[in-house]
């Protein structure tokens, strides 16, 4: 029996949702135009006035916002409320340029936590559950978002943050944690450590995991489910739009339902900016229609995915986004070929290796090089050179280019307790 956090919204008819979105969009555009000089200038340049936006069908008339705009407007240029109305900031974990800072009123936080509550309930969470939150706390949105959602559902919340993995497992066992929230790479590490400590899935009570904040494959999902004895659910969000909870998986697990009462999604051609029809692959764009302090209109996420309105067996009518296949800015172009780290991860797991890997890209004599370091699987008895050759061949089939594969000692690739670093692109360091 499927449970909902807010059945009225989650199962609302398409007509009623469109009416709600139209009303909220019109009000939001007026709010932004009147209060955010930076965006007002972009609208004026495009010759668009608030009265031109009468509903979602006019969304395409509005200018886009990108991460570059957020950096240019840092820190207060996109703020739509007086600072005295704001109660918190969160910030991205980005490592290049100025950080992106997002502002929240108390109402913004309440709505964000409500979105996270929907995700927890969709994963089977109730007030009987013990929810262990191992996303980072502090400026990163993962910890605070799921922490607030867990409180709303009424779970006993363990605000662990990431790190100190043996202590995580002790608490998990002692307090009978049933839901785990963290990055997929950290979930894999917890599973690995659990078994190294001599425990099995019988020693813990976990039933579900809510994992996000980095790309992960279906193969990695099955690997985590096996090592922790759980059902693993995907969650999606961006600091720029509030944090995790923009969309979430239900029991059907064929994509993530977008909380359309708060976020209007579009798929665009990343080159032309033209809106693409449902079912086409393109760049995901979000418009926040309920955010007060930091409302972004037509924000380009750089995530590449597909939207679908196909009927869902869970009963929710919210549009679904497929798991992003990568970010247009995460994509590596190596010798003219598009390569996503997730493709390499898929090959590794299919070939029986753990998803602990590091991709190194460089340029030697004007030619791109691709080296993939992979931790050995102690159960594999073939000669290392034979294993490397077999992996390189499988990767060539997947990618269309020849990588060099290096099988390295177990545990020699740094484990991540937050977002995993999978790629070192030395071409950028030289340029």
């Amino acid at each position: 029996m499927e449970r909902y956090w807010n059945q009225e919204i989650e199962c609302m008819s398409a007509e009623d949702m469109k009416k709600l979105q139209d009303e909220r969009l019109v009000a939001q555009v007026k709010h932004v135009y009147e209060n955010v000089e930076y965006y007002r200038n972009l609208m004026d340049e495009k010759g668009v006035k608030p009265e031109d936006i009468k509903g979602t069908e006019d969304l395409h008339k509005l200018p886009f916002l990108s991460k570059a705009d957020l950096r240019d407007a840092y820190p207060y240029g996109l703020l739509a409320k007086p600072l005295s109305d704001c109660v918190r900031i969160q910030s991205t974990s980005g490592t290049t340029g100025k950080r992106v800072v997002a502002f929240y009123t108390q109402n913004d936080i309440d709505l964000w936590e409500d979105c996270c509550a929907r995700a927890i309930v969709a994963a089977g969470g109730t007030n009987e559950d013990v929810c262990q939150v191992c996303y980072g706390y502090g400026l990163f949105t993962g910890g605070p978002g799921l922490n607030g959602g867990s409180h709303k559902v009424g779970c006993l919340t363990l605000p662990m943050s990431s790190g100190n993995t043996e202590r995580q497992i002790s608490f998990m066992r002692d307090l009978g944690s049933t839901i785990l929230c963290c990055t997929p790479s950290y979930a894999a590490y917890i599973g690995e450590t659990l078994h190294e400590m001599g425990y099995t899935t019988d020693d813990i009570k976990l039933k579900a995991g809510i994992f996000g904040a980095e790309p992960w494959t279906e193969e990695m999902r099955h690997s985590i489910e096996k090592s922790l004895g759980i059902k693993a659910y995907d969650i999606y969000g961006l600091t720029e739009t509030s944090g995790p909870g923009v969309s979430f998986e239900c029991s059907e697990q064929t994509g993530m339902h977008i909380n359309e009462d708060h976020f209007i999604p579009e798929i665009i051609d990343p080159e032309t900016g033209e809106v693409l029809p449902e079912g086409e692959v393109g760049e995901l764009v979000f418009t926040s229609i309920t955010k007060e302090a930091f409302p972004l209109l037509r924000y380009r996420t750089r995530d590449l995915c597909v939207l679908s309105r196909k009927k869902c067996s869970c009963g929710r009518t919210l549009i679904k986004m497929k798991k992003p296949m990568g970010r247009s800015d995460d994509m590596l172009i190596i010798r003219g070929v598009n390569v996503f780290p997730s493709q390499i991860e898929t090959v590794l797991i299919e070939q029986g290796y753990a998803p602990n890997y590091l991709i190194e890209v460089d340029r030697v004599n004007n030619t791109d090089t691709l080296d993939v370091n992979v931790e050995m699987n102690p159960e594999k008895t073939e000669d290392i050179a034979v294993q490397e050759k077999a992996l390189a061949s499988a990767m060539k089939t997947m990618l269309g280019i020849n990588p060099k594969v290096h099988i390295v000692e177990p545990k020699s690739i740094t484990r991540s307790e937050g977002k995993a670093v999978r790629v070192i692109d030395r071409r950028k360091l030289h340029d």
Side-chain angles (χ1 to χ4, degrees):
M1 164 85 180
E2 191 77 29
R3 290 178 68 257
Y4 311 99
W5 174 247
N6 183 336
Q7 186 166 0
E8 184 191 352
I9 291 286
E10 293 174 59
C11 303
M12 186 177 267
S13 72
E15 302 74 41
D16 287 347
M17 182 59 79
K18 165 119 180 43
K19 260 187 239 165
L20 181 64
Q21 287 183 332
D22 288 349
E23 186 185 302
R24 288 180 170 178
L25 176 65
V26 169
Q28 186 72 295
V29 171
K30 186 172 184 291
H31 170 59
V32 170
Y33 191 83
E34 288 172 358
N35 294 288
V36 182
E37 185 187 0
Y38 189 97
Y39 199 75
R40 180 166 63 247
N41 291 341
L42 290 179
M43 282 178 68
D44 288 347
E45 276 169 32
K46 214 174 173 200
V48 188
K49 292 284 182 255
E51 50 273 24
D52 299 330
I53 309 300
K54 296 181 171 60
T56 53
E57 61 281 358
D58 296 321
L59 195 54
H60 68 277
K61 297 175 182 175
L62 292 169
F64 292 114
L65 276 174
S66 68
K67 196 162 251 188
D69 290 305
L70 271 61
R71 291 194 178 118
D72 290 346
Y74 174 92
Y76 295 127
L78 289 166
L79 192 58
K81 282 282 192 182
L83 266 184
S84 56
D85 289 355
C86 300
V87 298
R88 193 194 297 173
I89 67 148
Q90 303 282 169
S91 178
T92 60
S93 55
T95 51
T96 54
K98 289 175 184 159
R99 295 176 74 96
V100 170
V101 174
F103 297 83
Y104 301 74
T105 62
Q106 187 56 52
N107 186 55
D108 290 336
I109 288 173
D110 289 341
L111 295 181
W112 172 28
E113 291 177 348
D114 197 78
C115 289
C116 290
R118 293 180 195 180
I120 291 168
V121 171
T126 72
N127 59 0
E128 301 288 319
D129 281 292
V130 179
C131 186
Q132 185 159 335
V133 182
C134 310
Y135 284 109
Y137 281 68
L139 289 171
F140 178 56
T141 54
L146 271 302
N147 191 89
S150 174
H151 279 208
K152 285 213 166 191
V153 174
C155 305
L156 174 64
T157 308
L158 309 187
M160 300 291 296
S161 197
S162 59
N164 205 332
T165 306
E166 293 195 1
R167 185 181 67 182
Q168 300 272 11
I169 291 166
S170 296
F171 269 87
M172 190 181 284
R173 293 184 66 242
D174 296 346
L175 292 163
S177 304
T178 52
I179 298 174
L180 174 66
C181 305
C182 61
T183 59
S185 54
Y186 192 45
Y189 184 40
I190 289 173
E192 190 183 325
T193 308
L194 178 83
H195 295 283
E196 281 173 4
M197 288 170 74
Y199 299 124
T200 70
T201 53
D202 293 338
D203 296 304
I204 55 173
K205 291 184 176 173
L206 285 184
K207 63 178 186 181
I210 299 174
F211 307 132
E214 62 188 20
W216 54 308
T217 57
E218 283 303 301
E219 291 77 13
M220 189 165 181
R221 185 207 295 270
H222 299 315
S223 169
I224 292 168
E225 287 181 332
K226 191 175 167 196
S227 77
L228 290 172
I230 59 171
K231 185 159 179 170
Y233 294 82
D234 211 344
I235 190 169
Y236 174 90
L238 310 130
T239 302
E240 298 91 319
T241 53
S242 64
V246 170
S247 66
F248 60 90
E249 262 187 335
C250 63
S251 53
E252 189 178 279
Q253 296 192 312
T254 53
M256 291 172 276
H257 289 288
I258 295 170
N259 285 311
E260 291 183 90
D261 52 325
H262 300 299
F263 311 101
I264 302 176
E266 300 170 274
I267 293 286
I268 63 163
D269 180 315
E271 301 299 320
T272 65
E274 179 196 353
V275 179
L276 299 175
E278 182 192 320
E280 297 259 325
V281 177
E283 181 183 343
L284 185 59
V285 171
F286 277 116
T287 293
S288 297
I289 49 176
T290 54
K291 283 290 290 289
E292 295 177 340
F294 197 69
L296 301 188
L297 307 183
R298 299 199 86 201
Y299 180 68
R300 296 184 61 161
T301 66
R302 296 288 173 199
D303 284 321
L304 301 172
C305 77
V306 178
L307 296 177
S308 167
R309 283 218 176 269
K310 196 174 161 202
K311 192 174 175 185
C312 186
S313 61
C314 79
R316 289 177 181 83
T317 51
L318 300 169
I319 195 168
K320 276 183 175 176
M321 57 180 273
K322 293 279 187 195
K323 183 190 278 294
M325 48 200 67
R327 289 168 66 85
S328 56
D329 52 359
D330 269 358
M331 184 176 77
L332 297 161
I333 300 176
I334 299 169
R335 302 199 283 276
V337 176
N338 296 348
V339 173
F340 289 102
S342 57
Q343 295 172 299
I344 288 171
E345 185 175 295
T346 296
V347 170
L348 293 180
I349 294 175
E350 281 176 350
Q351 300 289 322
Y353 295 84
N356 298 314
Y357 61 96
L358 183 66
I359 300 164
E360 296 182 90
V361 185
D362 208 338
R363 188 167 284 136
V364 178
N365 299 329
N366 297 320
T367 303
D368 293 337
T369 61
L370 173 63
D371 289 73
V372 183
N373 301 303
V374 184
E375 286 187 6
M376 70 172 63
N377 175 348
E379 292 172 17
K380 288 193 177 279
T381 53
E382 308 99 315
D383 186 69
I384 293 291
V386 172
Q387 292 182 48
E388 289 174 341
K389 195 174 173 187
L391 271 178
S393 168
M395 285 181 199
K396 186 184 179 196
T397 304
M398 170 69 86
L399 305 173
I401 57 170
N402 262 319
K404 270 192 186 164
V405 174
H406 311 277
I407 290 182
V408 299
E409 289 294 316
K411 301 282 190 194
S412 59
I413 294 173
T414 307
R415 296 296 187 270
S416 166
E417 295 175 344
K419 290 193 183 188
V421 176
R422 300 293 196 201
V423 180
I424 297 174
D425 191 343
R426 293 199 172 83
R427 296 173 303 179
K428 291 178 184 168
L429 304 177
H430 303 329
D431 292 348

